[in-house]
Amino acid sequence: MQRKSFGNMPCPIARSLERVGEWWSILILRDALHGFTRFDQFQKSLGIAPNMLTRRLNALVEAELLERRRYSEHPPRDEYVLTARGRDFRPVIVALLAWGNKHFAPEGASVLLVDARTGREADPILVDRTTGQLLEAPAYVYAPGPAAGARTRRKFAERPPAMRKPAPGGRIGHKGGAK
C-alpha cells in the first residue's frame, strides 16, 4: 500500500510532515543539531540499517534540510550539514524534548536543555515574538491565513465558536495572533 503524500496539502503541518514525518528523519535531524555530520556517526547513534539511513539522508537532502558535502574523494565520502531550513527545525526538537520529558519519562529526564554558561535547566515554552506572551488557548487560536483556500476557510468557520473568537478587542488573522 502506497503512503499518501502530504506535500501539496494546504496545511503547513501536513507539508512539514511530508518532509520530516518519518521518525528516523526527526532523529537524524536531532543528531545533526547535536553536531553529527557523518554517515557512521548517525548510524552508530541510531542503530539504523545502512540502507534505511541512506534513504532518510537522501530525503532530508531533497527536502533541503541537510546539504550533502564531499569530504573525501578516495574513497568517496560525504558529510551531511544542516541548512538554514534544517537549523530552523531546532524549536520543534526542543518542544518534543520538553513534551517527552513531561509525558513519557516516568523514570525522570534522560536529556535536559540547559544554559551553556551556567548549566541551569531551561523550561522551554512557546511565546509570541512580538508581545512575549505565552501562545496558549484561548488567547491564541488558529485562523486561516492569506493563502487559505475555500476549503480551509470553511473548516475554520465550522469550528466551535470558542475556537474561532479572537481575544476581546482583537481580531483573528492579524499577524502575531489576536491583538
Side-chain angles (χ1 to χ4, degrees):
M1 186 163 107
Q2 187 163 353
R3 180 178 75 84
K4 178 178 179 155
S5 173
F6 296 149
N8 294 320
M9 291 179 82
C11 174
I13 295 170
R15 288 180 181 180
S16 298
L17 286 172
E18 180 70 21
R19 277 71 178 187
V20 299
E22 203 278 335
W23 61 75
W24 286 121
S25 297
I26 294 172
L27 294 175
I28 291 167
L29 288 170
R30 175 205 62 191
D31 284 355
L33 286 161
H34 289 306
F36 293 8
T37 60
R38 305 235 171 132
F39 188 95
D40 60 324
Q41 291 173 317
F42 292 117
Q43 189 175 24
K44 182 177 179 182
S45 171
L46 299 170
I48 185 174
N51 61 332
M52 178 60 75
L53 179 56
T54 298
R55 282 198 304 271
R56 293 291 92 221
L57 287 170
N58 287 340
L60 290 167
V61 168
E62 186 177 318
E64 299 179 10
L65 291 152
L66 295 176
E67 177 185 339
R68 184 181 291 113
R69 292 185 189 162
R70 180 73 32 114
Y71 71 86
S72 173
E73 290 297 332
H74 302 291
R77 296 275 187 259
D78 296 321
E79 63 181 354
Y80 298 86
V81 180
L82 287 163
T83 63
R85 184 179 287 182
R87 289 186 299 276
D88 283 348
F89 195 70
R90 187 172 195 273
V92 178
I93 294 292
V94 170
L96 282 170
L97 170 74
W99 185 65
N101 277 342
K102 181 177 180 179
H103 295 288
F104 306 112
E107 70 286 356
S110 62
V111 177
L112 299 172
L113 182 66
V114 299
D115 182 300
R117 290 177 295 119
T118 66
R120 186 186 56 78
E121 182 179 348
D123 183 15
I125 59 171
L126 191 59
V127 298
D128 176 58
R129 182 185 311 270
T130 305
T131 65
Q133 293 181 7
L134 208 54
L135 295 178
E136 291 185 316
Y140 287 86
V141 297
Y142 296 102
R151 181 174 181 224
T152 299
R153 291 185 185 285
R154 260 191 321 276
K155 176 180 168 182
F156 279 94
E158 292 169 359
R159 293 180 299 169
M163 295 306 296
R164 60 179 187 251
K165 286 185 179 176
R171 63 187 175 103
I172 287 185
H174 180 69
K175 186 174 180 180
K179 291 213 175 196

